[in-house]
Amino acid sequence: MTNRPQTLTTSLAGRARRLLIALMSVLALLVGSSAGAQSLVPTDQSFSHLVLVAGSDNAAFNIRFIELLKQTLGDRIEVRPYTEAISQAQPQALVVSLGNRALSRVQQQSTRPPTLALMIDEDQFANYANRNGPPLSAIYYDPPLLRQALLGHLILPHGNQVSMLVRPGQETNYDQLIDELASYGLKAKLFTVDSEDNLIASLARALTYGDYLLAVSDNAIYNPRTIKHILLTAYRRNRIVIGPGRAFVRAGVLATTYTPVDDIARAASRHIKAFLQSGRLPPAVHPEDFGVEINQQVARSLNIPLPEASQLEAQLKSLLGAGTEEEAP
Amino acid sequence: MSLLTPNIKKYLAAALLAPLSSVPAQVLADNLVAALDVSDAFAEDYGFLLEAPVPEVLTTTKLRQPKSRVPGTTTVIQGQLIRDLGILNLVEVFRLVPGMTVGYVGSNRPVTSYHGTVAYDQRRLQVLIDGRTAYLPSLSGVDWNTMPVALENIERIEISRGPNAAAYGINAFLGTINIITRSPEDTQGVNLHTSYGSRGHKNVFGSAGNVSDDFGWRLSYERRDEDGFDFQVNDDTLERETVHDGYSLNFFNYDARKTLSSVHSLDLRAGVTDGIDEEDKGRIGDEFGAITDPDVDVRDYYLQARWNYAPLENHYLHVQASYQNYDRHQKWRTCPPGFGFCADTNQNIEESRLELEIQDTLILNPDLRLVSGLGYREDRFNSDTFFNGNGSNYQSRLFSNVEYTPIQWLTFNVGANWEDSNTLDNEVISPRFAANFQLAENQTLRFVFSKAVRTPDAFEQGADWGYRATNVEPDALAFLEGMRVGPVFQAPGTLDEERIISREISYFGQFRVGDGLLSTEIKYFYDHLRDIISGHLSLGEWDLDNNVALDQKGFEVETSLEYPDTQLRLTYAYMDQDGEYTGEPVADEQEFIDLESRLTARHSGSAVWVQQYGFDISSALAYYFVDEFRRGQFERADLRLVKNVYTPRLNYDVAVIFQYYLHDIPPISRNNIIKDRNQVFLEAGLRF
């Protein structure tokens, strides 16, 4: 397509440079980690200031994130790639996991280390949250649904009915959200998607109720294979879709909020520092900061007058009340 | 830095993206976007939104355009609004369109028009269902009662208000109605709906469909029953008597879409209509002395296929073929007064239309888009009574529209249609020019100039009209068997095409008003209609000619205001018509102007208020008015109250609809009498 979403335009030269940096970093890491393997046990003075990063399957992202974390944490805290051996040897060291698979890996270790889960959805983390044992917390990656719903309301002020597609058995998870939405004058209803076979049937019913569809972060419902169909059905019925994430805006979703990686790193460093001071991890949170990404071309197609993303972001922040991080339930 | 060749870059990007397949796609896709700005898991385009119907305006130029770039006012009525308002018959939707009027000129045979000019049928509109021409092939009227589209299946209706021959050719003279049904890809599951109420109204609808990765289908069934009007006026006694003008029709429709590959897809549609459209023996004409009701036995079908090919996101085309057949058997027993015999006679007619279209869309850049195509249409008709046999008309055309936005605040549309037809003396080019000025964000001012022609339809030009007698009694007059009895008329075939030159200045704006969204479209028009065919079109009296010139000017407003829980919509049209008789001298020139003005009105409009309450109860109040038709005003107020129930696995609703006619007098024909000004209907629907 000719019109790319505003914030994603990058020149080819820029891409090439980033890729080259990524490549060089991979090489540097390989060299670095083999060097590290020779002195596996760190010295005493770095002991309490060691953070291990259990990366995702995306090596380039891992490198970039470790760099970011190092920058935000400063020189006194050592950040290293996680291996089970190091973690076993340093059971007190905090492990930062990137993504659901990394968290799963770390949590399956025979002695579980204190863990801060990043790049993970609230839903995914709920599976681990109530385990006893060493400290465990998270910085959620998925945008909080209240924030997403309010973004939809800002874009469509006359729309006050919200539809959500959910998987069977998940319905009660949204009770609190529905109450919160009511305090903003928004009404929400859930439509269950029993299986992929009745996705469109449920969606069609959802669209007869909702002024907009609030997409929950559920890979079984919203994924690259289903999103095109969902969007076409919604747009043909003159309904918009908000969320679930930034990549979906590129695929044609009207708008979403998202957390920039820098903000995740900042939120993580606050948790890490708190842990290093007290030995305890603050509760799981959605990062306070967020950005708004919109798709102007889709808005034009739907004849929806849409403010600038920065304006929506400011309005949304004032609506949510600045400064308070939303605590997890 | 330049060590990386493009191929290596590609390889690296592919290597980085490879893990996507094995991990939660969304999380990683987001990670990648956030961290690296490299291409993510999704195709970075909305190419798929271009060829499929998103709620932009499609009809006007055949390009998908936001209202800010459309060359002409276009009303879009969403299917949801039709259902919210409790509209029970398709034709009544058009009361919501500024400048359109709806009436019953004959008996229970609704007619709608934009800018009036109606004798019995409206022949000056292009009507399409999913891109398939839907007016009758030989008589060019639109049979709304048997239109093979269920209200429940309508996604939206686009009405391009103004001549649109540049995109659709002859007959898109005053306007174009494009009925777009729901994609079979959107209607998975079961939808049941029924309504029941006054004047024998019974409607039952059911559809079932399924969607898989590459195939979506929907099968629909609808039954429509209505008793029609309550009374007619006996021509002799002037007393009220009951009228036999209901209908009872069955519709089967099948819609499917098959995705053949990432660039090919196929749409298939088919439908069958079967039933009885009643006609009263008193309405066929006294001279017939009909002793049985000349009911019409309706047997129609259609087949449609469309192949979509989108090799590139900025270049795609489709090839569409459709075949429609209308088979109408209308037979009755007649004893012409004073002739001493009885016989069977008929107005049977079988009509068919074959239509082919190739359309190509090329997007050179977002500001320069081109749509062009070829069309071929073949209309065939066979009627002993109307044509003394069979006949056919052919039409070939070439059309194109360029949309060009040289600067952000200015868009030009230039379109034209070249056409050749055996109904035309010469080839015709119908152009349209438009300039859209973006006054501000979400405010557009348009200037549109267009020309169009309408060719006389097969009957106007080529009627060979007479009634053949069969089963003649008494035997003494058996020599009449198989002969055309009574007056016979042969049309001279000297009619020329009608012409229109239309000028429009229109404004479209959207504003946020507190929590609300205000959208408004205002149109000023000044149209010259020339060589309009007017006159009497009956066996005893046939004096059709290109003998009327009309100048129409006025303005139209369409406004909607949407608030949470409240939706308001208002339309108003003012039209000033100057008519002039231009034909051979006659005693009553005005009569010829009036004959073509049955649906013409100075003031018309509608007001709608949809309100949501707690507990998913909502109401819709609608008011429609026309001031005035030739016998008086039309005003009606509708109220629909509905309780919706949305559960995670099933939706249902129950509703009651009240219609209140503010006037007793039938506004167009004295025979269309409704006994009770209050009409009540009950509705229920279920979706799972």
Side-chain angles (χ1 to χ4, degrees), chain A residues 73-84:
Chain A
L73 287 171
D75 297 338
R76 291 182 52 243
I77 302 169
E78 189 180 358
V79 181
R80 283 203 198 181
Y82 158 94
T83 65
E84 185 164 352

Side-chain angles (χ1 to χ4, degrees), chain B residues 466-687:
Chain B
Y467 291 86
R468 211 171 288 281
T470 55
N471 295 324
V472 179
E473 282 179 330
D475 290 345
L477 293 173
F479 64 89
L480 292 174
E481 185 73 24
M483 286 176 62
R484 275 186 158 186
V485 177
V488 173
F489 176 78
Q490 193 147 8
T494 54
L495 296 173
D496 290 324
E497 52 268 18
E498 301 179 340
R499 300 174 183 284
I500 184 170
I501 295 175
S502 170
R503 298 166 199 85
E504 162 184 331
I505 301 173
S506 57
Y507 166 85
F508 176 69
Q510 284 185 303
F511 308 90
R512 289 184 181 271
V513 185
D515 268 355
L517 177 66
L518 174 73
S519 304
T520 192
E521 193 162 27
I522 301 167
K523 168 182 176 176
Y524 165 81
F525 62 93
Y526 186 29
D527 297 348
H528 296 299
L529 291 77
R530 294 292 178 267
D531 300 326
I532 294 297
I533 298 168
S534 182
H536 299 90
L537 197 145
S538 66
L539 254 185
E541 190 180 14
W542 179 295
D543 50 12
L544 283 189
D545 201 1
N546 297 89
N547 54 18
V548 167
L550 300 171
D551 284 352
Q552 299 181 328
K553 58 175 186 279
F555 68 95
E556 292 160 2
V557 183
E558 177 181 348
T559 294
S560 72
L561 184 55
E562 289 173 75
Y563 278 107
D565 297 328
T566 307
Q567 183 186 354
L568 301 168
R569 187 178 182 279
L570 200 73
T571 65
Y572 171 72
Y574 171 84
M575 185 170 78
D576 183 25
Q577 176 173 294
D578 282 334
E580 190 190 342
Y581 178 80
T582 57
E584 300 292 316
V586 287
D588 188 357
E589 297 189 342
Q590 186 60 36
E591 189 192 1
F592 283 83
I593 298 165
D594 292 345
L595 275 175
E596 276 298 331
S597 302
R598 281 180 168 126
L599 283 192
T600 305
R602 186 176 289 266
H603 308 277
S604 60
S606 69
V608 162
W609 170 32
V610 182
Q611 181 69 40
Q612 315 261 356
Y613 309 97
F615 307 104
D616 295 314
I617 292 171
S618 60
S619 66
L621 195 60
Y623 166 75
Y624 308 102
F625 81 97
V626 179
D627 187 17
E628 59 181 16
F629 291 130
R630 58 182 180 169
R631 300 183 80 246
Q633 281 175 287
F634 172 84
E635 278 180 285
R636 199 176 83 192
D638 292 7
L639 171 67
R640 179 175 185 257
L641 294 170
V642 60
K643 162 73 182 166
N644 282 296
V645 178
Y646 306 96
T647 76
R649 287 182 174 78
L650 159 92
N651 294 6
Y652 62 91
D653 55 79
V654 285
V656 56
I657 300 162
F658 301 95
Q659 294 179 350
Y660 176 65
Y661 288 81
L662 275 70
H663 303 277
D664 264 328
I665 301 168
I668 298 171
S669 162
R670 67 176 184 181
N671 294 305
N672 299 339
I673 300 167
I674 293 170
K675 182 168 58 182
D676 192 344
R677 278 158 59 170
N678 293 293
Q679 310 266 303
V680 185
F681 306 87
L682 294 171
E683 258 190 314
L686 175 66
R687 277 167 290 281

Side-chain angles (χ1 to χ4, degrees), chain B residues 299-343:
Chain B
R299 286 176 215 165
D300 301 346
Y301 68 86
Y302 66 86
L303 298 165
Q304 180 176 350
R306 176 170 145 155
W307 169 62
N308 305 293
Y309 175 54
L312 296 167
E313 63 194 28
N314 56 0
H315 188 204
Y316 42 89
L317 61 91
H318 73 241
V319 179
Q320 180 170 298
S322 67
Y323 182 79
Q324 301 168 68
N325 194 77
Y326 302 85
D327 193 3
R328 308 293 171 94
H329 286 257
Q330 188 180 16
K331 189 176 152 186
W332 69 97
R333 186 95 183 138
T334 184
C335 301
F339 288 89
F341 76 97
C342 291

